[in-house]
Amino acid sequence: SQPLSRRIAIVLAGPLANILFAPIVLSLVFMLGVPVTLPVIGQLLPGKPGAAAGLRTGDRIISVDGVAIENWEDLSHTIRQSNGKVLQFMVGRPAGSANVIRVAVQPKQVVEEAPIFGDKSPVWMIGVLPRGDEIKKHESPLNAMRRGVVGTWNISHDIVVGIYKIIDGSTPARKALGGPIMIAQMAGKEAHQGFADVALFTVMLSLELGIINLLPVPLLDGGHLAFFVIEGIRGKPLKLRHREIAMEVGLFLLFLLMAF
């Protein structure tokens, strides 16, 4: 009995609550502190550019081409964006050798499988792995909010791309989909890693709920929105029987998904 605009707002409230929940939680996590992996080399892959250039286990990367490297993510990003050019590493050596030395390393291109979607694409690498040294980094409230919004956008983008790739068949559905048992298993695993990992997992679940509920499938919120759009264009709602048939189809599709 409500006006169309109010019905749209009511249906949007649930998915939007799920989506807006994410940056709030992420901002809180960044303020409380997240573990950051330091750029200390723990392993060198034989025959790869890092080992060939003279890098050693225990080396701490201070800068690359004059740009400070604060964590392992910075190092990985710099190498992947190198396009194969020679990089000048400033390296802190453990006690017993020169304190800071310069090492020239030329990344090599390899084909790597993306961990989320299974795509294979060329990336630049030097063949080094982190030792695992970590510190907890706390962000200011303003910076935490900024990172929370950016993080929400990045995760949402990955979810949308992931759904598209399942639909077009480029990602096998059996590898990408899971039910309540899988959720419980993953939640238990993340709980052992600490608060930040549990919070990130919760954020991902919340965003998935919000985004999937917006799909134009009858019975989901997106299905109701589709009916409202049609009603707005036609100036009157679809016939009740037509809406009932659409709901039955939507229910059948959801049962198929759960059974799968």
Side-chain angles (χ1 to χ4, degrees):
S1 63
Q2 297 296 322
L4 182 61
S5 60
R6 187 168 293 183
R7 280 181 281 149
I8 290 173
I10 291 168
V11 169
L12 276 175
L16 286 180
N18 278 119
I19 292 169
L20 292 175
F21 172 77
I24 295 172
V25 173
L26 285 179
S27 299
L28 178 63
V29 169
F30 285 125
M31 281 190 285
L32 293 176
V34 293
V36 174
T37 303
L38 296 176
V40 180
I41 297 175
Q43 184 181 348
L44 291 148
L45 302 181
K48 300 300 181 184
L55 293 175
R56 299 179 187 174
T57 300
D59 283 350
R60 174 164 180 158
I61 312 303
I62 299 171
S63 67
V64 177
D65 285 349
V67 179
I69 300 296
E70 296 183 0
N71 53 60
W72 194 266
E73 186 179 347
D74 290 345
L75 177 62
S76 178
H77 177 76
T78 301
I79 293 169
R80 288 173 180 264
Q81 299 297 316
S82 67
N83 289 322
K85 76 168 187 173
V86 177
L87 301 175
Q88 300 296 327
F89 281 59
M90 294 302 293
V91 178
R93 278 274 157 88
S97 58
N99 189 24
V100 178
I101 63 170
R102 182 188 297 272
V103 179
V105 186
Q106 183 169 18
K108 178 182 178 182
Q109 195 174 52
V110 297
V111 176
E112 185 179 82
E113 184 173 303
I116 300 178
F117 306 128
D119 297 340
K120 291 186 176 181
S121 57
V123 295
W124 296 98
M125 52 82 72
I126 64 171
V128 295
L129 299 174
R131 192 169 67 182
D133 305 41
E134 289 185 344
I135 59 170
K136 185 168 277 191
K137 184 177 181 181
H138 300 269
E139 299 283 0
S140 67
L142 190 61
N143 203 35
M145 286 188 285
R146 181 188 64 80
R147 291 193 64 183
V149 171
V150 171
T152 298
W153 172 263
N154 291 337
I155 295 171
S156 300
H157 173 267
D158 286 344
I159 291 172
V160 172
V161 172
I163 293 171
Y164 174 78
K165 286 183 176 290
I166 292 171
I167 293 172
D168 76 3
S170 56
T171 297
R174 283 195 174 276
K175 289 177 61 178
L177 295 178
I181 294 174
M182 180 180 176
I183 292 173
Q185 290 172 337
M186 291 180 67
K189 180 181 176 183
E190 299 301 331
H192 287 291
Q193 304 299 321
F195 171 73
D197 293 84
V198 175
L200 180 60
F201 181 67
T202 306
V203 164
M204 291 178 64
L205 282 181
S206 187
L207 285 173
E208 286 178 357
L209 278 171
I211 292 170
I212 290 174
N213 262 319
L214 288 174
L215 294 177
V217 177
L219 220 65
L220 299 181
D221 292 325
H224 291 297
L225 287 173
F227 289 146
F228 295 156
V229 169
I230 294 171
E231 181 179 339
I233 295 172
R234 296 176 75 238
K236 59 181 180 179
L238 288 171
K239 290 183 179 179
L240 178 60
R241 182 55 189 152
H242 293 165
R243 281 180 283 160
E244 287 176 345
I245 293 172
M247 292 291 186
E248 289 166 1
V249 171
L251 183 63
F252 178 69
L253 291 174
L254 290 178
F255 271 127
L256 280 182
L257 178 62
M258 285 186 272
F260 178 75

